[in-house]
Amino acid sequence: MKAVTWRGVNEIGVEEVAEPTIINDHDIILEVGLSAACGSDLHLMGGYIPAMRAGDVLGHEFMGRVAEVGRGVTKHQVGDRVVVVSFTSCGQCWYCRQGLWSLCDNGNPNPGITEALWGQSIGGCYGYSHALGGWAGSHAPFIRVPYADQGAFAIPDGVSDERALFASDAAPTGWTGAHQAEVRPGDVVAVWGAGGVGQMAARAAMLMGAERVVVIDRFDNRLQQVRTHIGADTLHYEKAEVPAELREMTGGRGPDVCIEAVGMEAHSPGPQYLYDQVKQQMRLQTDRPTAVREAIYACRKGGTVFTLGVFAGLVDKFPLGAVMNKALTLRGAQQHGHRYIPEILERMSRDEIRTEHLATHVMPLSDGPKGYQMFKNKEDGCVRAVFRPSM
């Protein structure tokens, strides 16, 4: 079968790969209906995430129909329409039982790499390097889904494929940030980044009772999506002094919760961007922390800063003094989607969460390299490239 694969730094291809088969009794084989390119995939393209190999199938945000079930699967049957969470988690270990699903002890069969990077291994993720398990990704006609009773969720009849697709990763990642940051009724929440995850974090904060939510970005089409489809306020960071504007909105205090949904390749209009970019290209730091720095400085005293954007390793000029002296709570996480997807799907069925607008460009798998190039360069207003294998 043909699949979208990683061939090298900034090189995406389409090539023949082996069709997946049932290996363990708790597997299913899914016929992929839709599979989205995620912003975190761009870090793979740029060579910032270690342990990619030529020929690895990309993709971790997907939905489809069950084509085959293992003997131990009890919740799914052939023909079921399901959305699959991007992280592979066993459901049995201590972390899964605590609801910390992305920290699963058993979902990553290659734990040594992340143990060396971060001190401990986390769970696995489809199509996201051998550091996170080496699982084949979803940009293919079929994918093997391990731990299917834990990680695949039936889609309600009234929810379209295009809406359900983003219950795989963007919506539960955003929900993880808002919930783990403990957004409360009456809070003012600022979100850096108006991509899929940032928009979903903003929507989650609104549904949790935030009094005001402000999303910060520099792309007009994404900011328009936020205003139209999410209902949040926006700031264009190249046209406004973001910390000053946020203080003005909050009576001089700053936001109660700041959510960073940009990650390791953050951009800014100031000289610190060039500084961070040079250090990253020279591998003197692995990540550019521009947005998270600004979030720390902007957050009110005693507030919470949450990092949802993907970071891989080390950063320079991190304002730890501001974190300590302002008494900030600093948290981060990969998504615990198993915990949130059932509620998200229910809210989708009630039109409280709408995501179809994120899929600005739907195309066949054969256009994989073109789709990633459009997505990376924001060509033609591309917010997300989505691949439909049946096209």
Side-chain angles (χ1 to χ4, degrees):
M1 65 180 186
K2 294 287 188 180
V4 180
T5 61
W6 187 89
R7 288 181 173 174
V9 175
N10 292 321
E11 186 177 356
I12 304 298
V14 177
E15 58 188 281
E16 195 75 24
V17 300
E19 290 197 12
T21 59
I22 297 285
I23 295 177
N24 296 316
D25 287 347
H26 297 283
D27 295 347
I28 63 171
I29 302 299
L30 190 78
E31 182 178 6
V32 177
L34 293 171
S35 182
C38 177
S40 60
D41 291 342
L42 301 181
H43 309 323
L44 301 176
M45 286 182 63
Y48 298 117
I49 302 293
M52 289 296 291
R53 299 176 187 170
D56 285 348
V57 180
L58 295 168
H60 60 263
E61 187 163 23
F62 61 105
M63 57 74 57
R65 290 192 179 273
V66 177
E68 187 179 353
V69 297
R71 291 179 300 176
V73 175
T74 61
K75 295 182 179 179
H76 306 291
Q77 299 178 352
V78 171
D80 286 354
R81 191 170 65 114
V82 300
V83 60
V84 179
V85 64
S86 60
F87 264 74
T88 56
S89 307
C90 72
Q92 305 299 319
C93 70
W94 186 88
Y95 289 99
C96 288
R97 294 197 305 271
Q98 308 308 310
L100 303 173
W101 292 83
S102 67
L103 305 181
C104 176
D105 275 334
N106 301 312
N108 183 352
N110 300 325
I113 299 173
T114 48
E115 285 175 354
L117 279 172
W118 305 323
Q120 292 178 298
S121 176
I122 64 170
C125 181
Y126 297 100
Y128 213 76
S129 88
H130 293 265
L132 291 184
W135 301 103
S138 57
H139 294 344
F142 295 92
I143 184 174
R144 173 185 164 228
V145 177
Y147 309 116
D149 280 341
Q150 284 73 40
F153 300 85
I155 300 170
D157 289 339
V159 177
S160 69
D161 288 358
E162 291 76 12
R163 182 174 294 188
L165 167 64
F166 296 101
S168 170
D169 188 88
T173 300
W175 206 274
T176 297
H179 183 260
Q180 299 281 299
E182 299 182 351
V183 172
R184 296 181 175 88
D187 279 352
V188 175
V189 178
V191 179
W192 276 256
V197 170
Q199 291 191 35
M200 291 299 102
R203 186 59 185 157
M206 295 171 69
L207 291 170
M208 292 175 190
E211 180 179 300
R212 189 171 190 180
V213 178
V214 184
V215 180
I216 302 145
D217 205 290
R218 65 179 172 130
F219 294 103
D220 290 328
N221 64 309
R222 304 206 305 188
L223 294 171
Q224 184 60 52
Q225 283 193 343
V226 170
R227 293 189 292 269
T228 301
H229 300 285
I230 305 302
D233 295 327
T234 61
L235 282 174
H236 191 304
Y237 69 75
E238 291 184 332
K239 300 177 181 179
E241 182 64 32
V242 171
E245 291 285 344
L246 292 174
R247 287 193 298 271
E248 180 69 23
M249 293 176 180
T250 56
R253 287 193 309 275
D256 302 287
V257 174
C258 293
I259 298 174
E260 193 275 358
V262 181
M264 65 168 67
E265 294 183 78
H267 171 271
S268 79
Q272 69 270 25
Y273 172 65
L274 179 61
Y275 170 87
D276 280 326
Q277 190 175 41
V278 169
K279 293 208 72 171
Q280 188 180 42
Q281 295 304 315
M282 295 179 66
R283 297 304 189 261
L284 298 176
Q285 64 176 1
T286 59
D287 310 334
R288 298 199 297 264
T290 315
V292 74
R293 278 197 204 110
E294 186 170 78
I296 289 169
Y297 288 128
C299 192
R300 72 159 170 84
K301 293 176 286 187
T304 296
V305 176
F306 199 95
T307 59
L308 272 183
V310 171
F311 289 88
L314 305 173
V315 300
D316 190 18
K317 302 295 187 291
F318 186 80
L320 186 59
V323 174
M324 180 266 169
N325 287 287
K326 290 173 64 178
L328 299 180
T329 297
L330 177 62
R331 299 189 66 180
Q334 295 278 7
Q335 64 140 319
H336 304 310
H338 305 68
R339 180 173 177 177
Y340 303 118
I341 289 175
E343 179 179 356
I344 288 168
L345 288 170
E346 182 181 343
R347 288 182 180 272
M348 284 180 165
S349 71
R350 300 199 301 262
D351 289 334
E352 295 177 7
I353 299 175
R354 301 178 182 180
T355 59
E356 296 93 334
H357 65 280
L358 298 174
T360 53
H361 294 73
V362 181
M363 57 191 71
L365 287 173
S366 58
D367 284 343
K370 173 186 174 183
Y372 269 100
Q373 198 64 33
M374 292 179 68
F375 181 40
K376 178 180 179 180
N377 296 325
K378 309 296 185 290
E379 297 172 7
D380 192 34
C382 184
V383 176
R384 285 294 188 94
V386 172
F387 305 111
R388 189 189 300 273
S390 63
M391 288 179 71

